[in-house]
Every structure is written in structure tokens, then in C-alpha cells.
Amino acid sequence: MSGRELWTQPRLRAAWARQDWAQILREYRRAAGISQRELEAVIGLPQPHISAIESGRRRVTSADVIARLTEGLSVPPELRGLPSAPGPDDWGPPAELRERIAHGHATGRTDLRTADWIGRVLAQQRRAEDEIGGRDLWPVVRSQLDSVTRLIPGTSGKAADRLMLLAAEHAHWLSWVAHSQGRTGAALAWLDLTLGWAMDGSHQDMTSWVHRVRSYYALQHGDPRRAERTAQAGRTGQPSPAAAAAATHQEAMAAAALGDRDRARRLSDEAVRLASRVPDETDRPGWLYWLDPTRARLEAASTAAACQDWAAAAAGFREALPELTGYPRDHAHYRARLEDAERRLSRT
């Protein structure tokens, strides 16, 4: 694996975002499968110095050493000059990003290899977020988004559409993380950018997904009527089965919150049917990698719980949960939902 390829590792990128040099060196060596002695030849520092940095006995503060490490470790360009971790006023999108929302009109060539690279990295970061946490990866994703949007004004046609989708994928991820940190205004601002890029690039599935996420936010903040209307918007047009499944499940949850349990159950069944049409990950949009038939059944159980049908909820969670692997945080979430449903069922 080349030095650049090693930097697809989300833990390594998160360590770089924190400028945690001990962790950077450890994660680099782990990904490369090399010893401290072998790393010596890569970065030009003697093994005792490497050992001291990794153990915390020596700090990296010299600009010369940082430059040597940056070059020796082949740090990708989009990670150099990262923005800092977000402070109280830094969660929302900056003004200059909004100015890049329109299609470029230049006809020159752009570096689509860079876009391909960043797309691959984003796919790995989505999966790692379950264990690493979005806050640590925030500066990395922000920097990646800047790299993508700087390419947009130099493109047109299909290349521009492709970059628009990649920018939208980054922006909706940032929205999700901002919302998880209680930054509702910033989360909605990132979604505004996402929707603009999705519509400008004619990406129906991403447009549908933005409506689904808006619906989720509205429901979380106690506005089921708005959540219902927004989820319905996510089902209009011709989204793919996976995108339609996500929006349909969200509408089912809104219907349950409004007390329309029969419609909620019908919508939930429809969402499961739609998800079952695309059991293979390669047939779903990249950001819906997780929406396989198992997850669809767990979401149906969540709808049953929202309808206070505790027997159906407990049975659904109990049946599907053993098949959910590789998502420790989500597994813990659904395990807690199962235990809650079983407690409520025992009281009836």
C-alpha cells in the first residue's frame, strides 16, 4: 500500500485533524505494517526519537520537523492546512462555500482523480464515524469539501454534476454531525447547501435524502406535521428504491407521531418492501450503504414502537438485532429499544 493509500484510513485522518503526533505515527505504522525502525527511513527521524514521540515523552513543535513528517508521511494535499475543530461560532458553512453553489462555466479539464480519491475516503469515513465520532472527523471532512468545491468552477456538464453530488454528500454529513452536537441552525444551513448542490446537479436520490433528513430533524424537535410534509416531498419524483425506502420510513414515523397508526404501519411495510428490492450495497446510493433488509426490519420495529405496539416492536427488534453486525453504536441503540419494548410489554 502506497503512502497516499494509507491515508484512506479514517483513524489516521482523525489523528491528523487533532495534530496528535503520537497517534499519527502509531496509526501510520499500524496501517503500513511497519516497525519504528522501518519508519525511520520514511520520515528521516531516528528510532529513539520516534519512540519518544509515540510515548509522549517528546512533543512535535518545530516547523521543520512538522514539514519533514508531513512530506515523509505523504500527507494528502486536502489535509494540509486543516481548519480547526469547530468553536461556538464555527459550525455553520462559511460564506465562500455558498458562492460555489452554481455550475462552473469553464470548459477546461479538472482533476477528477482528486475527486475520486476524496470520494473513496468519504465512503470509509462514513463507516468509521460509528466508532470514531463525527466531531474528530469534522475538520477532515470540511477540508475535503473545500477541495471538492474549489474544483467546481472549472468544470461543466457531467463532470460538474459529479462534483456537485460529492459536495452534497460532504455537506449532508456535516449537517448530521452538527445536529448531533445540538447545532440545529448550522445543521439546517448545511442541508440548504446540500439541497442546492443536489438540485443543481440533478441528483434525485440526494434531493430525496435531504427531505428525509429535514423530516427527521423536524420530528426530533416536536413538529410531526412538518416532518410528514417534508418526508412526503422526499418520495416525489423518481428516487431509487433505497432512497424511497428511507423517506417512506420517515413518513411512517411522522404518521405514528400524529396518531395515524394504520397509515404508519402501511408505510412501514412499504419501506421494508422497497429496501428488500436492493439488498446489495452496490445497488444503493453510497450514503445509504447501511440500509439493507436487516436495517429496514429494525426501522419497522421502531415504527411499531412509535405506534406503541410493544409486542410487534419487541418481536421485530429481537428477530433482526442478531443480524446487525459491524455497527456497535447502532447495535447498542437497538438493544436499548428492545429492552424498553420488553419492559413496556411486561406491564400490559
Side-chain angles (χ1 to χ4, degrees), residues 187-265:
L188 291 171
W190 283 114
L191 274 191
D192 286 343
L193 277 181
T194 305
L195 183 61
W197 279 319
M199 294 181 69
D200 207 23
S202 301
H203 296 294
Q204 179 64 51
D205 279 355
M206 179 55 76
T207 301
S208 172
W209 178 247
V210 172
H211 290 311
R212 182 269 181 194
V213 175
R214 277 190 178 278
S215 174
Y216 174 82
Y217 290 171
L219 196 57
Q220 290 290 300
H221 290 278
D223 191 347
R225 186 64 67 187
R226 182 184 295 274
E228 179 186 49
R229 291 197 303 267
T230 311
Q232 287 171 347
R235 302 177 65 199
T236 60
Q238 294 183 319
S240 69
T248 302
H249 166 72
Q250 193 57 41
E251 186 180 349
M253 294 294 286
L258 290 167
D260 193 345
R261 297 179 181 178
D262 288 342
R263 191 164 68 88
R265 293 187 183 98

Side-chain angles (χ1 to χ4, degrees), residues 131-155:
E131 297 181 11
I132 297 175
R135 189 181 180 97
D136 281 350
L137 287 170
W138 175 281
V140 174
V141 177
R142 271 293 320 276
S143 186
Q144 291 171 192
L145 174 58
D146 284 339
S147 294
V148 171
T149 56
R150 279 193 290 268
L151 297 174
I152 291 174
T155 60

Side-chain angles (χ1 to χ4, degrees), residues 318-330:
R318 194 181 303 116
E319 176 188 347
L321 193 55
E323 300 174 26
L324 182 66
T325 58
Y327 301 93
R329 187 172 60 188
D330 289 352

Side-chain angles (χ1 to χ4, degrees), residues 105-146:
H105 297 291
T107 57
R109 299 176 61 186
T110 192
D111 186 2
L112 290 181
R113 286 186 300 176
T114 295
D116 288 340
W117 156 262
I118 293 174
R120 286 176 51 206
V121 170
L122 179 63
Q124 294 197 39
Q125 286 168 176
R126 287 193 196 104
R127 298 170 185 272
E129 195 270 335
D130 188 57
E131 297 181 11
I132 297 175
R135 189 181 180 97
D136 281 350
L137 287 170
W138 175 281
V140 174
V141 177
R142 271 293 320 276
S143 186
Q144 291 171 192
L145 174 58
D146 284 339

